[in-house]
Amino acid sequence: MTAMTQTEKTGARTDEAATLIGDARERIDALDDRIIGLIQERMAVSAVIQEARISSGGRRVNLAREMEVLGHYRDALGKPGTALAMTMLELCRGRV
């Protein structure tokens, strides 16, 4: 089995483009790792908030707050931001 060249791995048609794509993909992978870490941190903070709310006799979820978050993501990222926020909120709910 032969190893794929950088050009084959990236789908680029030149070595220059393949190098650029390879470097950019490494940066994207690093950004993805940071995003995942931030989401995990957000999940932990959300769990603290939910625990405090439940312990004080409140509900686990504050729908008004979730609507604020959805609006913030929609305003910043457009319609796909709403879907992203919904996924994030789902990850952060019910961990308590």
Side-chain angles (χ1 to χ4, degrees), residues 5-26 28:
T5 66
Q6 185 74 347
T7 305
E8 292 170 329
K9 287 180 188 177
T10 63
R13 298 200 183 252
T14 67
D15 289 340
E16 284 179 352
T19 299
L20 178 74
I21 292 168
D23 292 346
R25 284 181 177 172
E26 286 180 20
I28 285 174

Side-chain angles (χ1 to χ4, degrees), residues 24-40:
R25 284 181 177 172
E26 286 180 20
R27 185 159 182 228
I28 285 174
D29 290 345
L31 289 167
D32 285 343
D33 288 343
R34 288 173 49 200
I35 291 166
I36 289 167
L38 288 169
I39 291 171
Q40 290 170 331

Side-chain angles (χ1 to χ4, degrees), residues 20-93:
L20 178 74
I21 292 168
D23 292 346
R25 284 181 177 172
E26 286 180 20
R27 185 159 182 228
I28 285 174
D29 290 345
L31 289 167
D32 285 343
D33 288 343
R34 288 173 49 200
I35 291 166
I36 289 167
L38 288 169
I39 291 171
Q40 290 170 331
E41 183 178 347
R42 190 188 194 286
M43 290 168 66
V45 172
S46 182
V48 169
I49 292 168
Q50 290 175 52
E51 179 66 36
R53 192 180 298 121
I54 291 167
S55 294
S56 71
R59 297 178 54 156
R60 177 175 52 87
V61 176
N62 180 330
L63 295 178
R65 174 62 180 151
E66 288 196 356
M67 293 305 294
E68 288 178 21
V69 171
L70 290 170
H72 181 69
Y73 274 71
R74 182 191 62 244
D75 292 347
L77 302 171
K79 186 177 178 182
T82 303
L84 178 62
M86 286 295 295
T87 299
M88 186 201 47
L89 289 169
E90 184 178 346
L91 285 168
C92 293
R93 281 188 210 123

